[in-house]
Amino acid sequence: WIPGASTVMMTFLAVLAYSMVLGDTFSALFKTIGMSVSREVAMIGLTLTVILPLCLLKNLSSLAPFSLAGIAAMLYMAGAMAIRCFDGSYASADSGFASDVAESLRPSFGTKGASAVFSSNAFILICMLGTAFMAHFNAPAFYLELENNTLARWNTVVATSFTISILFFIGIAVMGFATFGGASNGFILNNYSTKDTLMGISRAAVAFALIFT
């Protein structure tokens, strides 16, 4: 019963984490259009009106066409973050878009350099890395659905997909930290101004990817 209980607990916490991200995302999206909606209200409303109906579907094949759209949405977010990283919109904590966000989310850079990796705060990063690849419980289904599912082809698929994912995550982490430094939020889109249209679209894109893919 221990493996079963562990799987249930892990997937529950994963779903909770995704719900928190969606709550933050939709709260910021509502703020973009001038509405003040708390994260809790956004989470509950989204769960009851969108996520619950999706969970009650007996067959998720109808969502298959959205997979590529979800990948495109994440690529758009990465591109938008790259633009904001290099165009200097958040270069100063007291001007531009940065002046519109909470002080704790404005760019902040210290002097510790690489030695900061030995800080106890590094365990937060380790925790995030440990939950970055939460797809292993789907591995049997993916393997069975793989065309000509030999072990060699499966290993190629896993190695390729994980390599691409790792590089993508590294790129996002680097651009986020290069833009906001020590003020980088666990959900990096929270650092961007709700008046920043480019990043507002990114929030919508991430929400779409999380819900439908």
Side-chain angles (χ1 to χ4, degrees):
W1 63 271
I2 294 179
S6 299
T7 301
V8 170
M9 181 59 68
M10 185 196 66
T11 50
F12 170 77
L13 292 176
V15 170
L16 180 61
Y18 284 129
S19 294
M20 292 170 65
V21 169
L22 287 172
D24 282 341
T25 301
F26 276 86
S27 178
L29 286 174
F30 280 121
K31 189 176 294 185
T32 301
I33 59 176
M35 297 175 62
S36 180
V37 178
S38 68
R39 180 174 71 171
E40 292 76 14
V41 172
M43 284 175 58
I44 294 172
L46 188 65
T47 298
L48 294 176
T49 59
V50 180
I51 297 178
L52 180 60
L54 287 175
C55 289
L56 294 176
L57 288 176
K58 294 183 178 180
N59 189 338
L60 297 179
S61 60
S62 59
L63 297 179
F66 294 104
S67 295
L68 286 178
I71 293 175
M74 300 307 291
L75 290 175
Y76 172 86
M77 181 199 70
M81 287 183 64
I83 291 173
R84 287 296 181 249
C85 179
F86 294 109
D87 70 1
S89 297
Y90 293 85
S92 173
D94 301 314
S95 62
F97 286 124
S99 62
D100 187 53
V101 300
E103 188 172 349
S104 61
L105 297 175
R106 296 177 185 178
S108 174
F109 296 91
T111 57
K112 293 182 179 180
S115 63
V117 75
F118 298 106
S119 165
S120 59
N121 290 332
F123 287 104
I124 299 176
L125 175 60
I126 293 174
C127 180
M128 294 173 69
L129 293 176
T131 56
F133 299 97
M134 293 184 294
H136 55 281
F137 46 83
N138 284 322
F142 293 156
Y143 177 76
L144 292 175
E145 292 176 4
L146 179 66
E147 184 178 353
N148 187 21
N149 56 349
T150 63
L151 190 58
R153 294 195 75 238
W154 172 248
N155 288 338
T156 299
V157 169
V158 171
T160 302
S161 57
F162 269 66
T163 299
I164 293 173
S165 297
I166 289 170
L167 293 176
F168 184 81
F169 286 144
I170 290 175
I172 293 295
V174 168
M175 289 186 290
F177 187 79
T179 305
F180 298 102
S184 300
N185 189 266
F187 178 45
I188 194 63
L189 293 184
N190 284 342
N191 284 92
Y192 295 93
S193 169
T194 54
K195 295 180 180 179
D196 187 344
T197 303
L198 187 68
M199 300 314 298
I201 297 174
S202 293
R203 290 187 175 96
V206 169
F208 173 86
L210 287 177
I211 293 174
F212 294 105
T213 63

